[in-house]
Short mmCIF file of all heavy atoms in Angstrom, two decimals:
data_model
loop_
_atom_site.label_atom_id
_atom_site.label_comp_id
_atom_site.label_asym_id
_atom_site.label_seq_id
_atom_site.Cartn_x
_atom_site.Cartn_y
_atom_site.Cartn_z
N GLY D 1347 42.61 60.21 -31.58
CA GLY D 1347 44.01 60.36 -31.19
C GLY D 1347 44.52 59.10 -30.53
O GLY D 1347 43.78 58.41 -29.83
N THR D 1348 45.81 58.78 -30.75
CA THR D 1348 46.45 57.62 -30.15
C THR D 1348 47.53 58.10 -29.20
O THR D 1348 48.39 58.92 -29.58
CB THR D 1348 47.07 56.73 -31.24
OG1 THR D 1348 46.04 56.26 -32.11
CG2 THR D 1348 47.81 55.55 -30.66
N THR D 1349 47.51 57.60 -27.97
CA THR D 1349 48.40 58.13 -26.93
C THR D 1349 49.87 57.92 -27.26
O THR D 1349 50.71 58.72 -26.86
CB THR D 1349 48.08 57.51 -25.57
OG1 THR D 1349 48.15 56.07 -25.67
CG2 THR D 1349 46.68 57.91 -25.09
N GLY D 1350 50.21 56.83 -27.97
CA GLY D 1350 51.60 56.55 -28.30
C GLY D 1350 51.95 56.83 -29.74
O GLY D 1350 52.88 56.22 -30.28
N ASP D 1351 51.25 57.75 -30.37
CA ASP D 1351 51.48 58.06 -31.78
C ASP D 1351 52.76 58.88 -31.92
O ASP D 1351 52.86 59.98 -31.39
CB ASP D 1351 50.28 58.84 -32.33
CG ASP D 1351 50.28 58.91 -33.86
OD1 ASP D 1351 51.37 59.03 -34.46
OD2 ASP D 1351 49.20 58.85 -34.45
N PRO D 1352 53.77 58.37 -32.67
CA PRO D 1352 55.01 59.12 -32.81
C PRO D 1352 54.95 60.24 -33.84
O PRO D 1352 55.62 61.27 -33.71
CB PRO D 1352 56.01 58.05 -33.26
CG PRO D 1352 55.19 57.06 -34.01
CD PRO D 1352 53.85 57.05 -33.32
N ALA D 1353 54.15 60.05 -34.89
CA ALA D 1353 54.17 60.98 -36.03
C ALA D 1353 53.20 62.13 -35.86
O ALA D 1353 53.47 63.26 -36.28
CB ALA D 1353 53.88 60.23 -37.32
N THR D 1354 52.03 61.86 -35.27
CA THR D 1354 51.06 62.91 -34.98
C THR D 1354 50.74 62.80 -33.48
O THR D 1354 49.81 62.08 -33.10
CB THR D 1354 49.79 62.77 -35.83
OG1 THR D 1354 49.27 61.44 -35.71
CG2 THR D 1354 50.08 63.05 -37.29
N PRO D 1355 51.52 63.46 -32.65
CA PRO D 1355 51.39 63.29 -31.20
C PRO D 1355 49.96 63.50 -30.70
O PRO D 1355 49.20 64.30 -31.25
CB PRO D 1355 52.35 64.35 -30.64
CG PRO D 1355 53.36 64.54 -31.73
CD PRO D 1355 52.60 64.38 -33.01
N TYR D 1356 49.63 62.78 -29.66
CA TYR D 1356 48.28 62.76 -29.11
C TYR D 1356 47.75 64.16 -28.83
O TYR D 1356 46.58 64.47 -29.09
CB TYR D 1356 48.28 61.92 -27.83
CG TYR D 1356 46.95 61.82 -27.13
CD1 TYR D 1356 45.89 61.12 -27.69
CD2 TYR D 1356 46.77 62.40 -25.87
CE1 TYR D 1356 44.67 61.01 -27.03
CE2 TYR D 1356 45.55 62.29 -25.20
CZ TYR D 1356 44.51 61.60 -25.79
OH TYR D 1356 43.31 61.49 -25.13
N GLU D 1357 48.62 65.04 -28.33
CA GLU D 1357 48.15 66.39 -27.99
C GLU D 1357 47.70 67.17 -29.22
O GLU D 1357 46.88 68.09 -29.12
CB GLU D 1357 49.22 67.17 -27.23
CG GLU D 1357 50.52 67.41 -27.98
CD GLU D 1357 51.57 66.34 -27.73
OE1 GLU D 1357 51.19 65.20 -27.33
OE2 GLU D 1357 52.77 66.62 -27.94
N TRP D 1358 48.23 66.81 -30.39
CA TRP D 1358 47.76 67.44 -31.63
C TRP D 1358 46.29 67.11 -31.87
O TRP D 1358 45.50 68.00 -32.21
CB TRP D 1358 48.58 66.97 -32.81
CG TRP D 1358 49.94 67.57 -32.95
CD1 TRP D 1358 50.55 68.45 -32.10
CD2 TRP D 1358 50.86 67.35 -34.02
NE1 TRP D 1358 51.79 68.77 -32.56
CE2 TRP D 1358 52.01 68.11 -33.74
CE3 TRP D 1358 50.84 66.56 -35.16
CZ2 TRP D 1358 53.13 68.11 -34.58
CZ3 TRP D 1358 51.94 66.56 -36.01
CH2 TRP D 1358 53.07 67.34 -35.72
N SER D 1359 45.94 65.84 -31.74
CA SER D 1359 44.55 65.45 -31.96
C SER D 1359 43.62 66.10 -30.95
O SER D 1359 42.52 66.53 -31.30
CB SER D 1359 44.42 63.91 -31.90
OG SER D 1359 45.11 63.29 -32.96
N GLN D 1360 44.07 66.19 -29.71
CA GLN D 1360 43.28 66.87 -28.69
C GLN D 1360 43.03 68.32 -29.08
O GLN D 1360 41.90 68.81 -29.03
CB GLN D 1360 43.99 66.82 -27.35
CG GLN D 1360 43.99 65.48 -26.64
CD GLN D 1360 44.73 65.53 -25.33
OE1 GLN D 1360 45.91 65.89 -25.28
NE2 GLN D 1360 44.05 65.18 -24.26
N ALA D 1361 44.09 69.01 -29.46
CA ALA D 1361 43.97 70.42 -29.82
C ALA D 1361 43.11 70.60 -31.06
O ALA D 1361 42.29 71.54 -31.14
CB ALA D 1361 45.36 71.02 -30.06
N PHE D 1362 43.27 69.72 -32.04
CA PHE D 1362 42.49 69.78 -33.27
C PHE D 1362 41.00 69.69 -32.94
O PHE D 1362 40.19 70.49 -33.43
CB PHE D 1362 42.92 68.61 -34.17
CG PHE D 1362 42.39 68.65 -35.58
CD1 PHE D 1362 43.20 69.03 -36.63
CD2 PHE D 1362 41.08 68.27 -35.86
CE1 PHE D 1362 42.74 69.03 -37.93
CE2 PHE D 1362 40.60 68.27 -37.16
CZ PHE D 1362 41.43 68.66 -38.20
N ALA D 1363 40.63 68.72 -32.12
CA ALA D 1363 39.21 68.53 -31.76
C ALA D 1363 38.69 69.70 -30.94
O ALA D 1363 37.56 70.16 -31.13
CB ALA D 1363 39.04 67.22 -31.00
N ASP D 1364 39.50 70.19 -30.01
CA ASP D 1364 39.07 71.29 -29.14
C ASP D 1364 38.72 72.54 -29.93
O ASP D 1364 37.82 73.30 -29.54
CB ASP D 1364 40.16 71.61 -28.11
CG ASP D 1364 40.27 70.57 -27.02
OD1 ASP D 1364 39.34 69.75 -26.88
OD2 ASP D 1364 41.29 70.56 -26.31
N LYS D 1365 39.44 72.77 -31.02
CA LYS D 1365 39.26 74.01 -31.78
C LYS D 1365 38.10 73.94 -32.77
O LYS D 1365 37.66 74.98 -33.27
CB LYS D 1365 40.56 74.35 -32.51
CG LYS D 1365 41.69 74.75 -31.56
CD LYS D 1365 43.05 74.69 -32.23
CE LYS D 1365 44.16 74.95 -31.23
NZ LYS D 1365 45.51 74.69 -31.79
N MET D 1366 37.60 72.75 -33.03
CA MET D 1366 36.51 72.61 -33.99
C MET D 1366 35.18 72.94 -33.32
O MET D 1366 34.98 72.73 -32.12
CB MET D 1366 36.46 71.21 -34.58
CG MET D 1366 37.69 70.85 -35.41
SD MET D 1366 37.39 69.49 -36.56
CE MET D 1366 36.87 70.41 -38.01
N ASP D 1367 34.27 73.44 -34.12
CA ASP D 1367 32.96 73.86 -33.61
C ASP D 1367 32.11 72.68 -33.16
O ASP D 1367 31.36 72.77 -32.20
CB ASP D 1367 32.22 74.64 -34.71
CG ASP D 1367 30.87 75.16 -34.25
OD1 ASP D 1367 30.82 75.81 -33.19
OD2 ASP D 1367 29.88 74.91 -34.96
N ASN D 1368 32.26 71.53 -33.85
CA ASN D 1368 31.35 70.42 -33.58
C ASN D 1368 32.07 69.10 -33.78
O ASN D 1368 31.71 68.30 -34.64
CB ASN D 1368 30.14 70.51 -34.51
CG ASN D 1368 28.99 69.64 -34.05
OD1 ASN D 1368 28.99 69.11 -32.94
ND2 ASN D 1368 28.01 69.46 -34.91
N ALA D 1369 33.10 68.86 -32.94
CA ALA D 1369 33.86 67.62 -33.03
C ALA D 1369 33.66 66.79 -31.77
O ALA D 1369 33.44 67.33 -30.69
CB ALA D 1369 35.35 67.91 -33.21
N VAL D 1370 33.72 65.47 -31.93
CA VAL D 1370 33.80 64.57 -30.79
C VAL D 1370 35.17 63.92 -30.83
O VAL D 1370 35.71 63.65 -31.91
CB VAL D 1370 32.68 63.51 -30.79
CG1 VAL D 1370 31.32 64.18 -30.73
CG2 VAL D 1370 32.76 62.62 -32.02
N PHE D 1371 35.73 63.67 -29.64
CA PHE D 1371 37.10 63.18 -29.56
C PHE D 1371 37.13 61.78 -28.98
O PHE D 1371 36.53 61.51 -27.94
CB PHE D 1371 37.95 64.12 -28.69
CG PHE D 1371 39.41 63.77 -28.67
CD1 PHE D 1371 40.12 63.64 -29.84
CD2 PHE D 1371 40.07 63.58 -27.45
CE1 PHE D 1371 41.47 63.31 -29.83
CE2 PHE D 1371 41.42 63.26 -27.43
CZ PHE D 1371 42.12 63.14 -28.62
N VAL D 1372 37.83 60.89 -29.70
CA VAL D 1372 37.95 59.49 -29.31
C VAL D 1372 39.42 59.17 -29.11
O VAL D 1372 40.27 59.56 -29.92
CB VAL D 1372 37.36 58.57 -30.41
CG1 VAL D 1372 37.61 57.11 -30.08
CG2 VAL D 1372 35.87 58.84 -30.58
N THR D 1373 39.75 58.46 -28.02
CA THR D 1373 41.14 58.15 -27.67
C THR D 1373 41.39 56.66 -27.74
O THR D 1373 40.59 55.85 -27.26
CB THR D 1373 41.45 58.63 -26.25
OG1 THR D 1373 41.38 60.06 -26.21
CG2 THR D 1373 42.86 58.20 -25.82
N TRP D 1374 42.53 56.29 -28.34
CA TRP D 1374 43.02 54.91 -28.24
C TRP D 1374 44.32 54.93 -27.45
O TRP D 1374 45.27 55.62 -27.82
CB TRP D 1374 43.28 54.30 -29.62
CG TRP D 1374 43.75 52.87 -29.54
CD1 TRP D 1374 43.30 51.91 -28.69
CD2 TRP D 1374 44.77 52.26 -30.33
NE1 TRP D 1374 43.96 50.72 -28.90
CE2 TRP D 1374 44.87 50.90 -29.91
CE3 TRP D 1374 45.60 52.70 -31.36
CZ2 TRP D 1374 45.78 50.01 -30.47
CZ3 TRP D 1374 46.50 51.80 -31.93
CH2 TRP D 1374 46.58 50.48 -31.49
N GLU D 1375 44.34 54.21 -26.34
CA GLU D 1375 45.56 54.05 -25.54
C GLU D 1375 46.37 52.92 -26.16
O GLU D 1375 46.22 51.75 -25.80
CB GLU D 1375 45.22 53.77 -24.08
CG GLU D 1375 44.53 54.93 -23.38
CD GLU D 1375 44.32 54.67 -21.91
OE1 GLU D 1375 44.94 53.72 -21.37
OE2 GLU D 1375 43.53 55.40 -21.28
N GLY D 1376 47.20 53.27 -27.12
CA GLY D 1376 47.98 52.27 -27.84
C GLY D 1376 49.25 52.87 -28.40
O GLY D 1376 49.52 54.07 -28.24
N GLU D 1377 50.05 52.05 -29.06
CA GLU D 1377 51.30 52.48 -29.67
C GLU D 1377 51.16 52.50 -31.19
O GLU D 1377 50.42 51.70 -31.77
CB GLU D 1377 52.44 51.53 -29.28
CG GLU D 1377 52.74 51.48 -27.79
CD GLU D 1377 53.28 52.78 -27.24
OE1 GLU D 1377 53.85 53.58 -28.02
OE2 GLU D 1377 53.12 53.01 -26.01
N GLY D 1378 51.88 53.41 -31.82
CA GLY D 1378 51.89 53.47 -33.27
C GLY D 1378 51.04 54.61 -33.80
O GLY D 1378 50.42 55.38 -33.06
N HIS D 1379 51.02 54.72 -35.12
CA HIS D 1379 50.43 55.85 -35.82
C HIS D 1379 49.01 55.54 -36.24
O HIS D 1379 48.78 54.64 -37.05
CB HIS D 1379 51.30 56.17 -37.04
CG HIS D 1379 50.91 57.41 -37.77
ND1 HIS D 1379 50.40 58.53 -37.15
CD2 HIS D 1379 50.95 57.70 -39.10
CE1 HIS D 1379 50.17 59.46 -38.06
NE2 HIS D 1379 50.48 58.98 -39.25
N THR D 1380 48.04 56.25 -35.68
CA THR D 1380 46.60 56.18 -35.96
C THR D 1380 45.97 54.93 -35.34
O THR D 1380 46.68 54.02 -34.88
CB THR D 1380 46.27 56.24 -37.47
OG1 THR D 1380 46.64 55.03 -38.11
CG2 THR D 1380 46.99 57.42 -38.12
N ALA D 1381 44.62 54.90 -35.35
CA ALA D 1381 43.91 53.85 -34.62
C ALA D 1381 42.88 53.10 -35.46
O ALA D 1381 42.79 51.87 -35.38
CB ALA D 1381 43.22 54.46 -33.40
N TYR D 1382 42.07 53.81 -36.23
CA TYR D 1382 40.94 53.19 -36.94
C TYR D 1382 41.46 52.16 -37.93
O TYR D 1382 42.23 52.48 -38.83
CB TYR D 1382 40.16 54.28 -37.67
CG TYR D 1382 38.84 53.86 -38.28
CD1 TYR D 1382 38.04 52.88 -37.69
CD2 TYR D 1382 38.37 54.46 -39.43
CE1 TYR D 1382 36.83 52.51 -38.24
CE2 TYR D 1382 37.15 54.12 -40.01
CZ TYR D 1382 36.39 53.14 -39.41
OH TYR D 1382 35.18 52.78 -39.96
N GLY D 1383 41.06 50.91 -37.74
CA GLY D 1383 41.57 49.82 -38.55
C GLY D 1383 42.72 49.08 -37.90
O GLY D 1383 43.04 47.96 -38.30
N ARG D 1384 43.36 49.68 -36.86
CA ARG D 1384 44.45 49.03 -36.14
C ARG D 1384 44.02 48.61 -34.74
O ARG D 1384 44.46 47.59 -34.23
CB ARG D 1384 45.65 49.96 -36.02
CG ARG D 1384 46.34 50.32 -37.33
CD ARG D 1384 47.55 51.20 -37.08
NE ARG D 1384 48.53 50.53 -36.23
CZ ARG D 1384 48.95 50.99 -35.07
NH1 ARG D 1384 48.47 52.14 -34.59
NH2 ARG D 1384 49.83 50.33 -34.37
#
């Protein structure tokens, strides 16, 4: 999840990970949409 993501707000990624049986959650404190590769 990216804290400044406009299109998929950060709280969505948090909720998505929380509801999964076996997920790990990684945060990027940045602006824009998505993190991996940016």
Side-chain angles (χ1 to χ4, degrees):
T1348 299
T1349 56
D1351 194 323
T1354 52
Y1356 179 68
E1357 61 268 22
W1358 283 4
S1359 294
Q1360 286 179 303
F1362 190 103
D1364 286 345
K1365 292 163 186 171
M1366 296 200 91
D1367 182 51
N1368 196 11
V1370 299
F1371 186 54
V1372 174
T1373 295
W1374 181 40
E1375 294 185 15
E1377 298 294 336
H1379 186 34
T1380 73
Y1382 189 33
R1384 294 182 60 239

